[in-house]
Amino acid sequence: FEHMIRDVLIFGCTGQDGSYLSKSLINKGLSVLGVSRSDKPNVDNLHELSIVDKIQIIQGDITIFKDVQKIIAKHKPKIIYNLSAQSSVGISFKKPYLTSKSIVDATINLLEACRISDFQGTIFFAGSSEIYGETKEAATIQSRIDIRSPYALAKYQSYLQVKAYREIYNLKSVTGILFNHESPLRNKNFVTQKIINGAIECMQDKSKALKLGNLNIVRDWGCAEEYTEGIQAIANATQLKDQIICSGKAKSIKDIVTIVFNNLNMNWEEHVISDKILFRENEANISIGNPNLLEKDLQWKAKITIENVLERMIQHSLKQSKLN
Ligand code: NDP
Ligand code: GDR
């Protein structure tokens, strides 16, 4: 492993998307070097996908310029994916500085390290639909920006950095603006996983309640595993262009709750409580994307429904709960 030249470098390889992306690249025969902040990274996701032995992970902090510079100089990757972030919108309200550092400082470090070393490959940045806030109609890449959280602010700043380095320095840097995408690897604090685990607890103990925030929030949901293919399509395009990855299909939190509880043969109204304490300040009620440009330019479109993803997540969580 030590001085082998790597095809692909992934910052944030231990997360949901980093794991699926690594698996997809490895399956295509590419060698993957992952970066984690930790020298004892949590490899549960990589283990789950049976790729722990097929990926090399090194320690590095993307918020430290020297770390990034050294990694690029030493490993000379052909392509870089930056998926690393404090990725929870909810947490970003309590940790705005950490969130900004993990996204904005990270992006400028990576762009600068690539500029200085005359990096010729593509640098993909995981942007977020949260930059569009409330979408009056399905968001396109030109839609109005509407910042409603420290997380969205950081993602917007980085999106501009990535675009500016492409335009000023001809760096091959590009952003994929991703709408919500879920999977069995989704961290437990995100709403789909919280609903599924909560519903399973209610099934095991009928007296249990599940406290959620605003049930009327509408989002555009998709499948994480599939979106990592869209990410590659954007990064490998002959003409680099910032693109939106979404399903174009809107569902409310109440819809997700209904699908999950129905799947487990329960009536959600007997268990779910909407608690004002869990509402987010100033949150966009509706966020939906328009998938047409990505399909037109790169012939990529989402095919897997959120119902299908939720079904897989439920099966996975049921299996886990029986193991424990
Ligand atoms: P995860 O939270 O699952 O993974 C992100 C990874 O970033 C972690 O595994 C962690 O790896 C690393 N990281 C770096 N700094 C921090 C920090 N301060 N706190 C926590 N983790 C940190 O994210 P996803 O895989 O879901 O998302 C990948 C990227 O795509 C992120 O940038 C996210 O903002 C963006 N995105 C995701 C969407 C989604 O719906 N999932 C939608 C839109 C954008 P380690 O500990 O090993 O360093
Ligand atoms: P979020 O995802 O970090 O907002 O964005 P999350 O799953 O936490 O929230 C999705 C929506 O559900 C609403 N909601 C609740 N959310 C949580 N966590 N807990 C609750 O009890 C609850 N009740 C309602 C939220 O208010 C929100 O509207 C995700 C992340 O992956 C980001 O990185 C990414 O950029 C965006 O998706 C697009």
Side-chain angles (χ1 to χ4, degrees):
F1 268 160
E2 205 21 28
H3 287 290
M4 198 171 152
I5 290 182
R6 293 279 150 188
D7 295 318
V8 185
L9 181 64
I10 304 179
F11 288 92
C13 69
T14 61
Q16 171 187 256
D17 295 3
S19 302
Y20 283 115
L21 179 64
S22 299
K23 180 166 180 174
S24 166
L25 293 164
I26 289 165
N27 283 346
K28 291 181 174 123
L30 296 163
S31 60
V32 178
L33 177 68
V35 185
S36 166
R37 291 165 302 162
S38 168
D39 55 3
K40 289 194 185 64
N42 177 344
V43 292
D44 288 354
N45 287 337
L46 301 165
H47 196 71
E48 188 67 42
L49 300 183
S50 310
I51 55 165
V52 176
D53 304 333
K54 298 180 180 143
I55 173 172
Q56 184 193 1
I57 305 179
I58 53 169
Q59 193 276 332
D61 186 340
I62 193 170
T63 69
I64 298 172
F65 179 70
K66 281 246 164 336
D67 274 20
V68 181
Q69 203 179 22
K70 268 193 218 146
I71 290 169
I72 291 170
K74 182 169 171 191
H75 296 279
K76 301 187 174 53
K78 295 192 185 121
I79 180 162
I80 302 172
Y81 291 93
N82 175 17
L83 309 178
S84 179
Q86 187 302 96
S87 74
S88 157
V89 177
I91 291 174
S92 82
F93 287 98
K94 294 192 185 83
K95 301 195 165 171
Y97 181 73
L98 173 114
T99 303
S100 178
K101 226 171 130 57
S102 79
I103 297 173
V104 186
D105 291 14
T107 305
I108 196 71
N109 285 346
L110 184 54
L111 292 170
E112 260 304 275
C114 288
R115 183 184 72 82
I116 290 167
S117 66
D118 200 21
F119 179 72
Q120 295 294 317
T122 302
I123 307 140
F124 175 91
F125 169 64
S128 169
S129 56
E130 288 291 313
I131 67 172
Y132 299 120
E134 188 82 40
T135 56
K136 298 236 170 1
E137 50 196 44
T140 67
I141 202 83
Q142 281 100 15
S143 285
R144 176 186 64 108
I145 301 301
D146 176 27
I147 300 299
R148 289 168 182 249
S149 66
Y151 172 83
L153 173 62
K155 285 289 179 183
Y156 184 51
Q157 287 176 267
S158 290
Y159 167 59
L160 293 179
Q161 289 172 326
V162 167
K163 191 165 149 56
Y165 268 66
R166 185 171 70 236
E167 288 167 0
I168 301 169
Y169 298 110
N170 272 323
L171 216 65
K172 292 190 195 146
S173 49
V174 71
T175 300
I177 299 182
L178 308 158
F179 279 71
N180 304 55
H181 48 276
E182 314 299 309
S183 77
L185 304 187
R186 193 57 146 154
N187 196 295
K188 291 199 172 12
N189 60 308
F190 293 97
V191 77
T192 49
Q193 204 69 281
K194 181 177 167 187
I195 293 169
I196 289 166
N197 292 324
I200 291 173
E201 279 182 28
C202 294
M203 190 173 73
Q204 288 159 348
D205 176 353
K206 295 277 183 266
S207 70
K208 284 244 170 183
L210 170 60
K211 257 190 211 170
L212 295 169
N214 188 346
L215 303 182
N216 295 321
I217 297 285
V218 173
R219 290 288 180 269
D220 177 315
W221 308 90
C223 165
E225 184 168 15
E226 183 180 53
Y227 279 22
T228 62
E229 300 301 327
I231 286 174
Q232 292 173 67
I234 294 170
N236 292 321
T238 30
Q239 190 79 45
L240 281 187
K241 200 196 241 186
D242 299 327
Q243 292 277 359
I244 281 177
I245 306 186
C246 64
S247 65
K249 307 245 160 41
K251 285 220 168 355
S252 68
I253 304 296
K254 200 185 283 170
D255 293 333
I256 304 282
V257 164
T258 308
I259 295 167
V260 171
F261 277 75
N262 283 353
N263 187 292
L264 295 167
N265 296 316
M266 286 187 293
N267 179 1
W268 70 268
E269 282 160 298
E270 290 168 14
H271 300 279
V272 174
I273 297 164
S274 171
D275 187 337
K276 284 249 152 49
I277 289 175
L278 296 176
F279 280 41
R280 284 185 197 157
E281 275 169 56
N282 191 32
E283 183 166 43
N285 293 304
I286 301 178
S287 169
I288 316 167
N290 180 336
N292 293 345
L293 184 68
L294 184 56
E295 189 179 3
K296 177 172 157 277
D297 285 348
L298 300 173
Q299 293 75 52
W300 191 91
K301 82 178 215 200
K303 296 195 183 79
I304 301 172
T305 64
I306 190 62
E307 286 86 345
N308 187 309
V309 177
L310 291 169
E311 164 70 25
R312 283 194 229 171
M313 292 173 74
I314 293 167
Q315 290 314 320
H316 185 263
S317 290
L318 282 171
K319 213 162 115 194
Q320 299 279 95
S321 73
K322 277 177 199 135
L323 289 177
N324 291 329

